[in-house]
Amino acid sequence: MARKYTAAVTESRPEHRYVAVYPGSFDPITLGHLEIVERAARLFDEVVVAVGHHPTKPGFFSFEARVEMIEQSLAHIGNARAAHYSGLMIDFCRQIGARVIVRGLRAAGDFEPEFQMALANRELEPGVETVFLIPEPRKQFISSSLIREIASHGGPFQKFVPEPVAAAMMARYPNFYEVRRQA
Ligand code: COA
């Protein structure tokens, strides 16, 4: 027998809204990250791209600069916004009522640590589910440290990052990129 769906199922009540947190260092955000945000924004009501503090990563850009670059890079995605948190990402999820954590899986090497983190987060908060999205193959090799490395040598990193990030990176190496523009 065909199942009847009532209007209540599609009502936009707070408990029916799916807020997803996409946490990371985003130092800086890349086109690989941005593609994950775009995919997630099609699946969830709201996506919060959240800059967290990684215990062993010193940080190239400040938290504020990273959040600002993310905000500028997300301008075309209506249901995505940027934030930052300190402490556990799962506490941040609770704080904002998010029920989903989004993470990108680029290659087999990403799996083991992501698997551990997802299990740990599930132990800490069973109400929050981790969802993995796979970036398109041409973006799978991109990482923030790779971008920083190419830029530090004056290389053409710009095609891997959103425009606001390219501008901020070039400003960090003015002599390099000035020399290039004048050449
Ligand atoms: N496109 C491009 N690059 C991607 C990517 C994608 N789709 N997905 C991952 N990466 C890269 C990142 O650029 C980063 O590269 P880098 O190491 O060169 O900087 C790397 O993959 C992994 O980084 P990221 O996904 O940002 O995770 P992270 O390990 O740096 O940060 C935190 C993880 C910040 C979310 C996490 O440490 C945190 O929240 N810590 C707080 C404490 C906590 O809750 N820990 C978990 C306990 S279970």
Side-chain angles (χ1 to χ4, degrees):
M1 196 173 76
R3 197 182 244 224
K4 275 195 177 170
Y5 291 96
T6 65
V9 175
T10 55
E11 265 175 25
S12 181
R13 287 197 245 143
E15 65 270 28
H16 290 153
R17 278 179 58 79
Y18 274 91
V19 177
V21 168
Y22 179 30
S25 299
F26 301 110
D27 194 20
I29 187 168
T30 68
L31 289 184
H33 293 125
L34 199 56
E35 194 217 350
I36 297 287
V37 184
E38 285 162 355
R39 286 179 193 281
R42 290 196 286 268
L43 297 174
F44 305 108
D45 296 303
E46 184 181 10
V47 180
V48 180
V49 182
V51 182
H53 176 72
H54 190 285
T56 63
K57 291 184 180 174
F60 182 75
F61 288 108
S62 70
F63 278 109
E64 292 72 22
R66 286 184 237 173
V67 169
E68 197 179 326
M69 282 186 274
I70 294 171
E71 255 162 18
Q72 292 167 349
S73 309
L74 299 180
H76 63 294
I77 311 174
N79 59 337
R81 66 180 171 93
H84 69 91
Y85 61 93
S86 50
L88 291 174
M89 77 167 91
I90 203 72
D91 288 337
F92 177 70
C93 292
R94 282 197 197 105
Q95 225 175 61
I96 66 164
R99 289 191 281 164
V100 178
I101 292 171
V102 170
R103 295 285 289 171
L105 268 191
R106 291 165 303 164
D110 278 351
F111 181 77
E112 194 59 42
E114 292 297 336
F115 183 66
Q116 275 187 350
M117 195 155 74
L119 286 179
N121 279 326
R122 187 196 284 173
E123 278 298 314
L124 295 171
E125 176 50 75
V128 175
E129 204 63 64
T130 301
V131 170
F132 295 103
L133 298 178
I134 298 174
E136 68 144 304
R138 278 176 307 160
K139 299 216 173 71
Q140 290 187 4
F141 69 94
I142 306 176
S143 74
S144 303
S145 51
L146 195 77
I147 300 301
R148 295 196 304 268
E149 191 180 336
I150 298 172
S152 73
H153 294 285
F157 71 92
Q158 295 89 333
K159 61 182 164 191
F160 304 124
V161 296
E163 204 283 324
V165 173
M169 289 294 283
M170 289 194 284
R172 292 291 286 266
Y173 299 103
N175 295 339
F176 243 146
Y177 291 97
E178 277 300 318
V179 170
R180 288 216 147 187
R181 270 202 296 276
Q182 286 162 7

